């Protein structure tokens, strides 16, 4: 085995340095927030980058013991999961039609969905608010779930359609010869084979819903339906003079998302490994 050339070593070293720099840009602010939550305001002023001395656990304990935080966590979880179910279910059926059926105007319809990627959400917030008000969906979780699913359809359809098109036609022909209907092929064969793609678009839908701030803020005037992003903003306004407590609230709001990323990554890797083995 030949030793790497100097140019290759230099390129590898440069890539490692860039990776370390990007990792530091991500980890350092998170670490600052975690440690800042264990301090008081005096320590944040005099020793912002050092370890807490003494450690102030009351910031985290007070938030964890608050029912408001858990209610907002439950609201975010409910809305994110419901959004993922709606958008993935609808997009999977639409992608199946776009990928496996030939009909007049198919590419035009698909292009219309693709154009939705260029439509900014902020532009639609005013007409969307009027529409939701006329339908009686304000202060209703469906007022957030349905628009989020609608705006998530374009990217989900594009990803799933491309994956469905990679399934060999021979598989569908064999299923048809065995008496399988089009919907039976979709439900029994295509969806199980598409688990990696379904997992990917589900993660994208949940992350987009979890981070959505504007729509829940507009739809929910009832504080009992606030999600975590809205709750963080409200908490920051309420405790503007207590920076340490605000940092603790932000960190605790990040923990569920980080846990979800860890679980989702394992599921994605496992699904892709099973697909390769199959």
């Amino acid at each position: 085995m030949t030793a790497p050339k100097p140019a290759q070593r230099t390129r590898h070293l440069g890539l490692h340095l860039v990776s370390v720099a990007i990792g530091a840009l991500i980890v350092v602010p998170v670490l600052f927030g975690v440690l800042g939550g264990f301090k008081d305001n005096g320590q944040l002023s005099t020793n912002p980058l050092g370890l807490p001395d003494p450690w102030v656990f009351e910031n985290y304990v007070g938030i964890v013991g608050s029912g408001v935080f858990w209610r907002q966590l439950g609201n975010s979880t409910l809305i994110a999961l419901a959004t993922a179910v709606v958008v993935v279910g609808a997009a999977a059926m639409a992608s199946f039609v776009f990928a496996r059926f030939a009909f007049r105007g198919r590419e035009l319809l698909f292009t219309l969905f693709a154009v939705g990627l260029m439509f900014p959400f902020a532009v639609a917030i005013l007409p969307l608010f009027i529409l939701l008000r006329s339908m009686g969906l304000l202060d209703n979780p469906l007022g957030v779930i349905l628009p989020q699913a609608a705006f998530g359809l374009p990217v989900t359809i594009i990803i799933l359609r491309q994956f469905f098109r990679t399934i060999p036609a021979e598989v569908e022909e064999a299923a048809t010869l065995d008496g399988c209907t089009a919907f039976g092929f979709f439900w029994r064969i295509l969806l199980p084979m598409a688990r990696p793609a379904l997992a990917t678009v589900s993660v994208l839908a949940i992350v987009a819903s979890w981070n959505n701030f504007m729509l829940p803020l507009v739809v929910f005037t009832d504080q009992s339906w606030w999600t975590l992003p809205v709750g963080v903003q409200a908490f920051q306004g309420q405790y503007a003079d207590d920076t340490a407590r605000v940092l603790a609230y932000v960190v605790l709001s990040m923990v569920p998302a980080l846990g979800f990323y860890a679980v989702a990554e394992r599921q994605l890797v496992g699904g892709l490994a099973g697909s390769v083995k199959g």
Side-chain angles (χ1 to χ4, degrees):
M1 184 175 180
T2 60
K5 297 179 180 180
Q8 292 178 334
R9 289 199 298 267
T10 302
R11 184 170 64 254
H12 291 164
L13 178 61
L15 292 175
H16 284 296
L17 291 177
V18 171
S19 300
V20 171
I22 295 175
L25 290 175
I26 297 173
V27 173
V28 170
V30 174
L31 185 61
F32 174 81
V34 172
L35 294 178
F38 286 106
K39 299 178 181 180
D40 54 29
N41 289 330
Q43 294 184 57
L44 285 175
S45 300
T46 59
N47 186 25
L49 301 179
L51 293 175
D53 185 24
W55 291 73
V56 181
F57 295 93
E58 288 77 8
N59 294 331
Y60 287 101
V61 173
I63 296 171
V64 171
S66 171
V68 174
F69 172 79
W70 294 106
R71 184 171 64 247
Q72 293 172 359
L73 175 61
N75 294 339
S76 292
T77 303
L78 171 65
I79 292 173
L81 293 178
T83 299
V85 170
V86 173
V87 69
V88 174
M93 290 185 286
S95 301
F96 173 62
V97 174
F98 284 132
R100 314 299 297 193
F101 290 88
F103 56 91
R104 182 177 299 178
R106 182 185 66 175
E107 296 304 319
L108 177 60
L109 288 175
F110 180 75
T111 302
L112 291 177
F113 277 104
V115 169
L117 292 172
M118 298 181 289
F119 191 76
F121 178 81
V123 174
I125 194 64
L126 180 57
L128 184 60
F129 173 79
I130 297 173
L131 177 63
L132 294 174
R133 184 179 60 184
S134 64
M135 298 175 63
L137 292 179
L138 296 181
D139 283 328
N140 187 321
L142 289 177
V144 176
I145 294 170
L146 296 180
Q148 285 184 161
F151 278 91
L153 280 176
V155 64
T156 308
I157 289 176
I158 290 173
I159 294 174
L160 291 182
R161 186 212 191 197
Q162 186 62 31
F163 189 90
F164 289 167
R165 295 181 72 175
T166 62
I167 305 299
E170 291 78 7
V171 176
E172 186 174 1
E173 292 174 0
T176 303
L177 292 176
D178 288 339
C180 192
T181 63
F183 182 78
F185 170 73
F186 167 74
W187 183 257
R188 298 177 183 177
I189 300 175
L190 194 63
L191 289 185
M193 295 181 67
R195 277 182 294 182
L198 294 175
T200 299
V201 295
S202 297
V203 170
L204 293 176
I206 291 175
V207 169
S209 173
W210 193 274
N211 294 330
N212 196 340
F213 169 75
M214 181 179 296
L215 186 59
L217 178 66
V218 171
V219 173
F220 296 137
T221 57
D222 184 0
Q223 297 184 12
S224 63
W225 278 112
W226 279 1
T227 57
L228 275 177
V230 181
V232 168
Q233 179 67 24
F235 192 88
Q236 182 179 0
Q238 183 178 359
Y239 296 94
D241 297 332
D242 195 347
T243 306
R245 179 173 288 193
V246 172
L247 288 175
Y249 198 95
V250 172
V251 169
L252 288 176
S253 301
M254 293 168 51
V255 169
L258 294 176
F260 168 74
Y261 289 146
V263 174
E265 181 183 8
R266 295 191 186 98
Q267 290 178 343
L268 286 173
V269 172
L272 289 172
S275 176
V276 173
K277 291 180 182 178

